[in-house]
């Protein structure tokens, strides 16, 4: 990893305008962010709300031990808790990782990991309890059982509480029941407003679902988990096109994506983490092919974000480096990080960093600047920081 604080300085540079944008509110502070559709909001969610800055500043406290960063993170967390506690028992509450209960739990858990303050672990465990005896309405990482399961795995890693692992297994049972299994492998439906599709990628498809099942396989003896992971890998590989590249679903009329949510970057992330969990070299080979395609695409979406841009794509390179101890991939992550610095802008109100598209300076995690800052922090501090919305990883497998 780089032996310089250059990337810590960049993380702090991105963080300064985010800190300045925090607004006092009842019980804490919040940030005005932009939804996926570009609407202004005060959201509590991880994807496009105030949870992203909370995760970032908690990690900055972990890196620097400067109390001001902890204070910013905790103030934001208090606001999120105040806004969401009433929804924990609502009949139709959102259970998901990127928008709902599981995401709140993961935000508090990240804060506990950095501060070791029990109140945040308690709030995370309260969110886990809200996932008891639930009926999942979707399967994917972004909105369904797989995303909730990822939170539960990470909480189990922190607590070794068997009841939490039972909840993760219940989420997996839903996925096993909803799986479509045929000669091509395993996959799941993705329900959109425009119709129902067979999702391929990490956010909405087989890659993300199988990632959760791979992590679960480390802690249970349910043979279905390994079978599903390898079956999903087979199905994903069957539907690759030259490159390799992947559409959002088989037969997608739009060009293949190369990004975290859809396409090679997210599929490679699934494959390298599943290789770390299962040790199957076919998964490693898929990860490397997807990573080569991601590297070759470069700044294909012309933005530095986690969901669609340089930061999210380079996270794959970091995970391959951490898993295989191959310095070529950290060098490539540094090159993508350097390319991301082109999106720093000097305006009349000071420095801002572009998010997913020109004119977007939202401080959220996935399409705004908080996720970019966290990526810079991971470069600066090596293996000290995990991807905050995934389980804790296995490091340094044999090549």
């Amino acid at each position: 990893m780089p032996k310089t604080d250059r990337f810590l300085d960049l993380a702090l540079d991105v963080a300064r305008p985010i800190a300045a944008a925090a607004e006092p509110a009842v019980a804490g502070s919040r940030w005005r962010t932009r939804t996926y559709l570009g609407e202004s909001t005060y959201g509590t969610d991880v994807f496009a709300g105030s949870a992203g800055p909370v995760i970032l500043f908690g990690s900055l406290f972990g890196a620097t031990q400067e109390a001001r960063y902890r204070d910013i993170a905790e103030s934001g967390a208090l606001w999120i808790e105040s806004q969401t506690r009433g929804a924990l028992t609502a009949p139709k509450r959102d259970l998901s990782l990127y928008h709902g209960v599981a995401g709140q739990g993961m935000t508090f858990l990240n804060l506990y990991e950095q501060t070791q303050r029990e109140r945040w672990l308690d709030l995370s465990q309260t969110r886990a309890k809200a996932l008891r005896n639930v009926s999942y309405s979707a399967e994917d990482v972004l909105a369904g059982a797989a995303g909730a399961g990822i939170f539960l795995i990470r909480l189990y890693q922190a607590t070794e509480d068997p009841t939490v692992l039972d909840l993760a297994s219940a989420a997996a049972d839903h996925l096993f029941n909803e799986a479509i299994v045929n000669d091509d492998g395993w996959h799941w439906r993705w329900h959109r407003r425009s119709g129902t599709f067979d999702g391929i990628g990490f956010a909405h498809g087989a890659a993300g679902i199988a990632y959760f099942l791979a992590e679960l396989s480390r802690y249970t003896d349910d043979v279905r988990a390994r079978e599903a992971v390898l079956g999903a890998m087979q199905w994903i590989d069957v539907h690759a096109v030259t490159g390799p590249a992947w559409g959002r679903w088989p037969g997608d009329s739009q060009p293949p994506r190369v990004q975290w949510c859809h396409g090679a970057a997210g599929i490679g992330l699934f494959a390298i983490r599943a290789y770390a969990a299962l040790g199957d070299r076919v998964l490693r080979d898929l990860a490397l092919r997807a990573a080569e395609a991601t590297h070759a695409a470069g700044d294909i979406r012309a933005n530095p974000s986690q969901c669609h841009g340089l930061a999210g794509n380079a996270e794959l390179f970091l995970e391959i480096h951490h898993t295989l101890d191959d310095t070529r991939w950290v060098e490539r992550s540094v090159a993508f990080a350097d390319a991301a610095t082109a999106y720093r802008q000097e305006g009349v109100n000071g420095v801002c960093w572009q998010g997913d598209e020109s004119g977007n300076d939202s401080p959220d995690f996935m399409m705004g600047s908080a996720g970019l800052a966290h990526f810079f922090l991971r470069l600066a501090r090596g293996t000290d920081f995990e991807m905050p919305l995934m389980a804790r990883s296995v490091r340094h497998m044999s090549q």
Side-chain angles (χ1 to χ4, degrees):
M1 296 296 291
K3 302 296 184 181
T4 173
D5 280 339
R6 176 166 68 97
F7 289 110
L8 177 59
D9 291 341
L10 283 169
L12 294 173
D13 191 70
V14 180
R16 287 187 193 99
I18 300 177
E23 300 179 16
V26 175
S29 58
R30 63 185 183 176
W31 284 264
R32 183 184 293 275
T33 57
R34 289 173 31 141
T35 68
Y36 182 78
L37 299 177
E39 300 161 339
S40 178
T41 186
Y42 289 109
T44 60
D45 60 285
V46 170
F47 188 91
S50 290
V54 171
I55 291 170
L56 169 62
F57 286 103
S59 294
L60 284 174
F61 169 72
T64 66
Q65 295 300 298
E66 292 192 27
R68 57 182 170 141
Y69 298 132
R70 182 189 61 208
D71 293 346
I72 294 170
E74 292 189 326
S75 182
L78 287 170
W79 180 76
I80 291 171
E81 198 280 328
S82 73
Q83 297 298 301
T84 60
R85 73 171 73 107
L88 292 179
T89 56
K92 295 185 178 181
R93 60 190 178 277
D94 188 332
L95 307 174
S96 71
L97 178 60
Y98 281 81
H99 298 288
V101 171
Q104 299 154 25
M106 190 71 101
T107 302
F108 299 140
L109 181 57
N110 272 272
L111 195 50
Y112 166 72
E113 290 173 349
Q114 300 305 326
T115 66
Q116 294 300 298
R117 294 192 174 186
E118 292 292 328
R119 70 176 303 170
W120 306 119
L121 180 60
D122 291 344
L123 288 174
S124 184
Q125 291 170 317
T126 298
R127 266 60 186 178
K129 291 175 182 176
L131 297 174
R132 291 175 177 169
N133 302 316
V134 297
S135 296
Y136 291 102
S137 59
E139 290 68 61
D140 61 11
V141 162
L142 203 78
I150 292 168
F151 157 59
L152 293 165
I153 290 291
R154 183 129 170 189
L155 182 58
Y156 175 72
Q157 290 172 321
T159 63
E160 298 185 352
D161 181 348
T163 64
V164 173
L165 189 60
D166 289 343
L167 292 173
S169 294
D173 286 340
H174 172 82
L175 297 172
F176 296 139
N177 291 336
E178 295 297 321
I180 301 167
V181 183
N182 55 35
D183 290 343
D184 286 346
W186 288 57
H187 68 281
W188 291 263
R189 298 294 191 195
W190 172 25
H191 304 285
R192 309 178 75 214
R193 291 180 182 176
S194 57
T196 299
F197 303 87
D198 299 320
I200 297 175
F202 198 94
H204 294 293
I209 293 168
Y211 161 70
F212 158 59
L213 295 174
E215 296 289 7
L216 182 66
S217 73
R218 295 164 55 189
Y219 304 105
T220 74
D221 56 5
D222 191 333
V223 297
R224 294 176 298 173
R226 183 183 182 92
E227 181 183 358
V229 172
L230 296 177
M233 178 206 66
Q234 176 186 323
W235 187 82
I236 290 166
D237 218 7
V238 163
H239 294 288
V241 296
T242 302
W246 289 267
R248 293 168 295 176
W249 50 77
D252 187 3
S253 62
Q254 295 188 19
R257 284 5 186 218
V258 185
Q259 56 204 46
W260 169 84
C261 53
H262 302 291
I267 288 167
L269 190 61
F270 144 66
I272 195 62
R273 294 292 294 265
Y275 169 63
L278 301 183
D280 192 305
R281 294 173 73 86
V282 179
L283 286 160
R284 183 208 61 179
D285 294 343
L286 174 60
L288 291 173
R289 284 188 286 124
E292 291 289 359
T294 302
H295 179 253
D299 190 10
I300 189 170
R301 286 290 296 266
N303 76 73
S305 75
Q306 283 275 344
C307 196
H308 305 127
L310 288 162
N313 287 10
E315 296 279 14
L316 167 59
F317 305 158
L318 280 182
E319 290 303 306
I320 291 177
H321 167 69
H322 293 326
T323 304
L324 302 181
D325 200 21
D326 184 342
T327 58
R328 174 181 51 155
W329 292 102
V330 74
E331 291 166 359
R332 289 179 170 185
S333 66
V334 167
F336 271 41
D338 287 338
T341 63
Y343 296 97
R344 183 183 191 271
Q345 301 167 343
E346 297 270 5
V348 293
N349 297 318
V351 171
C352 67
W353 286 77
Q354 178 187 314
D356 187 65
E357 58 188 18
S358 180
N360 175 10
D361 60 353
S362 174
D364 65 82
F365 199 87
M366 293 307 297
M367 294 177 58
S369 54
L372 172 62
H374 200 278
F375 165 62
F376 285 148
L377 184 59
R378 294 191 74 216
L379 269 177
R381 289 294 182 263
T383 58
D384 290 351
F385 295 96
E386 300 276 353
M387 294 184 71
L389 302 174
M390 297 179 72
R392 289 195 165 274
S393 58
V394 177
R395 301 299 193 188
H396 300 316
M397 301 283 289
S398 63
Q399 297 191 53

